[in-house]
mmCIF file with all atom_site columns, all heavy atoms in Angstrom:
data_model
loop_
_atom_site.group_PDB
_atom_site.id
_atom_site.type_symbol
_atom_site.label_atom_id
_atom_site.label_alt_id
_atom_site.label_comp_id
_atom_site.label_asym_id
_atom_site.label_entity_id
_atom_site.label_seq_id
_atom_site.pdbx_PDB_ins_code
_atom_site.Cartn_x
_atom_site.Cartn_y
_atom_site.Cartn_z
_atom_site.occupancy
_atom_site.B_iso_or_equiv
_atom_site.pdbx_formal_charge
_atom_site.auth_seq_id
_atom_site.auth_comp_id
_atom_site.auth_asym_id
_atom_site.auth_atom_id
_atom_site.pdbx_PDB_model_num
ATOM 1  N N   . ILE A 1 7   ? 14.838  8.195   -10.688 1.00 0.00 ? 7   ILE A N   1
ATOM 2  C CA  . ILE A 1 7   ? 16.184  8.019   -10.073 1.00 0.00 ? 7   ILE A CA  1
ATOM 3  C C   . ILE A 1 7   ? 16.077  7.074   -9.014  1.00 0.00 ? 7   ILE A C   1
ATOM 4  O O   . ILE A 1 7   ? 16.981  6.267   -8.767  1.00 0.00 ? 7   ILE A O   1
ATOM 5  C CB  . ILE A 1 7   ? 16.613  9.387   -9.508  1.00 0.00 ? 7   ILE A CB  1
ATOM 6  C CG1 . ILE A 1 7   ? 16.975  10.294  -10.790 1.00 0.00 ? 7   ILE A CG1 1
ATOM 7  C CG2 . ILE A 1 7   ? 17.985  9.336   -8.732  1.00 0.00 ? 7   ILE A CG2 1
ATOM 8  C CD1 . ILE A 1 7   ? 17.103  11.846  -10.346 1.00 0.00 ? 7   ILE A CD1 1
ATOM 9  N N   . ASP A 1 56  ? -20.761 -12.001 1.378   1.00 0.00 ? 56  ASP A N   1
ATOM 10 C CA  . ASP A 1 56  ? -20.636 -10.782 0.596   1.00 0.00 ? 56  ASP A CA  1
ATOM 11 C C   . ASP A 1 56  ? -20.012 -9.680  1.183   1.00 0.00 ? 56  ASP A C   1
ATOM 12 O O   . ASP A 1 56  ? -20.236 -8.479  1.009   1.00 0.00 ? 56  ASP A O   1
ATOM 13 C CB  . ASP A 1 56  ? -22.079 -10.312 0.195   1.00 0.00 ? 56  ASP A CB  1
ATOM 14 C CG  . ASP A 1 56  ? -22.882 -11.409 -0.693  1.00 0.00 ? 56  ASP A CG  1
ATOM 15 O OD1 . ASP A 1 56  ? -22.261 -12.345 -0.940  1.00 0.00 ? 56  ASP A OD1 1
ATOM 16 O OD2 . ASP A 1 56  ? -24.008 -11.117 -0.841  1.00 0.00 ? 56  ASP A OD2 1
ATOM 17 N N   . PHE A 1 103 ? 6.155   7.735   4.315   1.00 0.00 ? 103 PHE A N   1
ATOM 18 C CA  . PHE A 1 103 ? 5.645   8.792   3.460   1.00 0.00 ? 103 PHE A CA  1
ATOM 19 C C   . PHE A 1 103 ? 5.037   9.919   4.437   1.00 0.00 ? 103 PHE A C   1
ATOM 20 O O   . PHE A 1 103 ? 5.022   11.004  4.191   1.00 0.00 ? 103 PHE A O   1
ATOM 21 C CB  . PHE A 1 103 ? 4.664   8.369   2.556   1.00 0.00 ? 103 PHE A CB  1
ATOM 22 C CG  . PHE A 1 103 ? 5.234   7.777   1.333   1.00 0.00 ? 103 PHE A CG  1
ATOM 23 C CD1 . PHE A 1 103 ? 5.120   6.576   0.910   1.00 0.00 ? 103 PHE A CD1 1
ATOM 24 C CD2 . PHE A 1 103 ? 6.154   8.614   0.466   1.00 0.00 ? 103 PHE A CD2 1
ATOM 25 C CE1 . PHE A 1 103 ? 5.693   5.923   -0.240  1.00 0.00 ? 103 PHE A CE1 1
ATOM 26 C CE2 . PHE A 1 103 ? 6.677   8.075   -0.601  1.00 0.00 ? 103 PHE A CE2 1
ATOM 27 C CZ  . PHE A 1 103 ? 6.563   6.644   -1.029  1.00 0.00 ? 103 PHE A CZ  1
ATOM 28 N N   . ASN A 1 190 ? 14.083  14.711  20.289  1.00 0.00 ? 190 ASN A N   1
ATOM 29 C CA  . ASN A 1 190 ? 12.795  15.126  19.639  1.00 0.00 ? 190 ASN A CA  1
ATOM 30 C C   . ASN A 1 190 ? 12.579  14.370  18.355  1.00 0.00 ? 190 ASN A C   1
ATOM 31 O O   . ASN A 1 190 ? 12.095  14.854  17.399  1.00 0.00 ? 190 ASN A O   1
ATOM 32 C CB  . ASN A 1 190 ? 12.543  16.569  19.390  1.00 0.00 ? 190 ASN A CB  1
ATOM 33 C CG  . ASN A 1 190 ? 11.104  17.004  19.298  1.00 0.00 ? 190 ASN A CG  1
ATOM 34 O OD1 . ASN A 1 190 ? 10.208  16.285  19.814  1.00 0.00 ? 190 ASN A OD1 1
ATOM 35 N ND2 . ASN A 1 190 ? 10.908  18.121  18.673  1.00 0.00 ? 190 ASN A ND2 1
ATOM 36 N N   . GLN B 2 71  ? 10.130  22.247  18.608  1.00 0.00 ? 71  GLN B N   1
ATOM 37 C CA  . GLN B 2 71  ? 8.703   22.241  19.002  1.00 0.00 ? 71  GLN B CA  1
ATOM 38 C C   . GLN B 2 71  ? 8.325   20.757  19.416  1.00 0.00 ? 71  GLN B C   1
ATOM 39 O O   . GLN B 2 71  ? 9.075   19.818  19.368  1.00 0.00 ? 71  GLN B O   1
ATOM 40 C CB  . GLN B 2 71  ? 7.748   22.715  17.896  1.00 0.00 ? 71  GLN B CB  1
ATOM 41 C CG  . GLN B 2 71  ? 8.059   24.116  17.523  1.00 0.00 ? 71  GLN B CG  1
ATOM 42 C CD  . GLN B 2 71  ? 8.155   25.041  18.766  1.00 0.00 ? 71  GLN B CD  1
ATOM 43 O OE1 . GLN B 2 71  ? 7.380   24.980  19.666  1.00 0.00 ? 71  GLN B OE1 1
ATOM 44 N NE2 . GLN B 2 71  ? 9.233   25.903  18.848  1.00 0.00 ? 71  GLN B NE2 1
ATOM 45 N N   . ASP B 2 111 ? -23.171 -8.501  -5.042  1.00 0.00 ? 111 ASP B N   1
ATOM 46 C CA  . ASP B 2 111 ? -21.961 -9.040  -4.723  1.00 0.00 ? 111 ASP B CA  1
ATOM 47 C C   . ASP B 2 111 ? -21.280 -9.613  -6.187  1.00 0.00 ? 111 ASP B C   1
ATOM 48 O O   . ASP B 2 111 ? -22.073 -9.564  -7.179  1.00 0.00 ? 111 ASP B O   1
ATOM 49 C CB  . ASP B 2 111 ? -22.078 -10.254 -3.815  1.00 0.00 ? 111 ASP B CB  1
ATOM 50 C CG  . ASP B 2 111 ? -20.703 -10.533 -3.109  1.00 0.00 ? 111 ASP B CG  1
ATOM 51 O OD1 . ASP B 2 111 ? -19.901 -9.576  -2.992  1.00 0.00 ? 111 ASP B OD1 1
ATOM 52 O OD2 . ASP B 2 111 ? -20.576 -11.633 -2.679  1.00 0.00 ? 111 ASP B OD2 1
ATOM 53 N N   . ASN B 2 181 ? 10.255  11.390  -11.690 1.00 0.00 ? 181 ASN B N   1
ATOM 54 C CA  . ASN B 2 181 ? 11.338  12.029  -10.783 1.00 0.00 ? 181 ASN B CA  1
ATOM 55 C C   . ASN B 2 181 ? 10.628  13.318  -10.251 1.00 0.00 ? 181 ASN B C   1
ATOM 56 O O   . ASN B 2 181 ? 9.826   13.914  -10.878 1.00 0.00 ? 181 ASN B O   1
ATOM 57 C CB  . ASN B 2 181 ? 12.574  12.429  -11.625 1.00 0.00 ? 181 ASN B CB  1
ATOM 58 C CG  . ASN B 2 181 ? 13.390  11.110  -11.781 1.00 0.00 ? 181 ASN B CG  1
ATOM 59 O OD1 . ASN B 2 181 ? 13.639  10.315  -10.813 1.00 0.00 ? 181 ASN B OD1 1
ATOM 60 N ND2 . ASN B 2 181 ? 13.869  10.906  -13.013 1.00 0.00 ? 181 ASN B ND2 1
#
Side-chain angles (χ1 to χ4, degrees):
Chain A
I7 291 164
D56 301 351
F103 280 115
N190 202 19
Chain B
Q71 302 312 318
D111 208 25
N181 283 314

